[in-house]
Amino acid sequence: MQLEELVERFKQKDLRAFEQLYAMYARNICGAINTIVRDEVLAEEICQDVFVKVWEKSDAYNSSKGRFFTWVLNIARNAAIDELRSKSHKNQKLNLSADYFVGILERADDEPNGNVNTDRIIGFIKNLKQKCIELIDLIYFKGYSQKEVSESLDIPLGTVKTRNRNCISQLREHMKQN
Amino acid sequence: MDTKAYIASGILELYVAGQLSEKENLEVAEYAETYPEIKKEISEIEAAVLALSEAAAPNKPLSFEAVKNRVELSEDTKLIPLNRGRNRWLPYVGWAASAALLAGLGYFYNQNNQLRSDIKLAETEIQALEEQIAGASDSLEKTTALLQTLRDKNVTVIPLGGQVAAPEAYAKAYWNETEKQLFIDAQGLPEPPDGMDYQVWSLTLNPLTPTSVGLLENFQTDENGVFALSNPNQSQAFGITLEPAGGSESPNLEQLYVLGTVSS
């Protein structure tokens, strides 16, 4: 079934369509949350909350919100950041730019889980330039705006968009080659 | 439209990242529908991001069950809140009903006792009233009998007027000569002082001879103030004097209260 059809049925509160969408995106969303909270158990809890919320807000989704995945990712990001702000993480200033998801991937690399796909991805990322890793992390997982990225990484605002394009293209290249 | 330039601008990467405004999102979605190469590009960008995010996912498989249960629970809560509420209150309602029943029983027990007491009181009152009725009918009977007696055609009524000793006093004598009965209505006589009695005299006038007919005994307690006496004399007049208790042989004329002659 096409994604568009699934999303349409999900909006009509079709639980089976929702289950398929969950199967398609749950691991990605949980992973994205994990890059922020860096705690697998907590990430799973938040991830569950996010999907319950997504179901409850299904009426609110339409194409003006972007891709379905993008919409869910946005909700997940906000939930994860809220969680960090509300918990004892207060002491650790919300310095999201200091750590990158590479750290999580490297730890996963130390404890191989037999997921061939994951192992491959880690390989791709290691081949990316450090600047690209930082940029992708901030734009996709931390939800930074172009202006914030520009300030955070000290690069001209006008170049953020094309640099991001180049980084994603490199990643796609690596994925194709393997 | 130059789709290559559009793709190269990097706007689609930002679209997948959720960095565009709602208006821009709708625009991109429209282009994606129109140009298959744009749609394909979006899919590939998304796939790359999906791959990245999946690599960071927890190392265990995720189950939809937990989400499903929570979703269904929240749906249940929305759909049948009445039912849940009712179930939740049912035990309290039960206890409240029991308490109400107990209170009700206590109330009715008190009411019952009160009513029993009221019935006893009412029974006592009824007895008293019945006694009064019996007394009244007895009294009525006596009075009726008396009236009947006084109305007898053979009865002569003799008014007795007040004399020097008691000018305000009066009395009436009802004399049935045939039956030799004399009734004295003493309503107009004052109460006799202690140790004194009224004595009724039958008189013949020429010469004046008094004969005692009897005493008006128990003057205070007599209920209707009518005294029945026996008078076998050929009386021409009746008089009543105040005499020492028990009466006298002959009347004390200084204490003659009332006097009246029998008209022939």
Side-chain angles (χ1 to χ4, degrees), chain B residues 59-127:
Chain B
N59 268 343
K60 54 186 230 184
L62 296 166
S63 159
F64 183 63
E65 282 308 306
V67 173
K68 191 181 171 186
N69 288 342
R70 283 179 59 186
V71 159
E72 283 176 342
L73 194 69
S74 73
E75 290 295 293
D76 287 351
T77 316
K78 273 177 207 159
L79 285 175
I80 39 173
L82 264 179
N83 218 10
R84 289 165 66 87
R86 194 178 63 200
N87 287 341
R88 198 152 15 103
W89 286 105
L90 204 55
Y92 297 98
V93 170
W95 284 112
S98 304
L101 182 62
L102 266 181
L105 282 177
Y107 172 75
F108 283 121
Y109 178 75
N110 280 342
Q111 280 294 94
N112 193 30
N113 279 353
Q114 183 63 42
L115 287 173
R116 279 173 193 276
S117 165
D118 285 354
I119 288 170
K120 269 186 189 169
L121 196 68
E123 278 173 350
T124 316
E125 279 175 6
I126 287 168
Q127 202 178 334

Side-chain angles (χ1 to χ4, degrees), chain B residues 146-199:
Chain B
L146 179 62
L147 188 61
Q148 211 53 41
T149 310
L150 298 185
R151 276 174 155 182
D152 193 290
K153 59 172 185 182
N154 296 321
V155 166
T156 311
V157 183
I158 304 114
L160 310 176
Q163 301 300 305
V164 182
E168 301 298 314
Y170 68 92
K172 280 181 180 165
Y174 298 87
W175 179 35
N176 187 331
E177 202 174 348
T178 322
E179 300 285 329
K180 302 182 174 26
Q181 278 184 317
L182 179 69
F183 299 93
I184 302 295
D185 180 357
Q187 198 183 347
L189 292 177
E191 273 192 26
D194 279 351
M196 307 291 271
D197 277 332
Y198 285 115
Q199 193 167 7

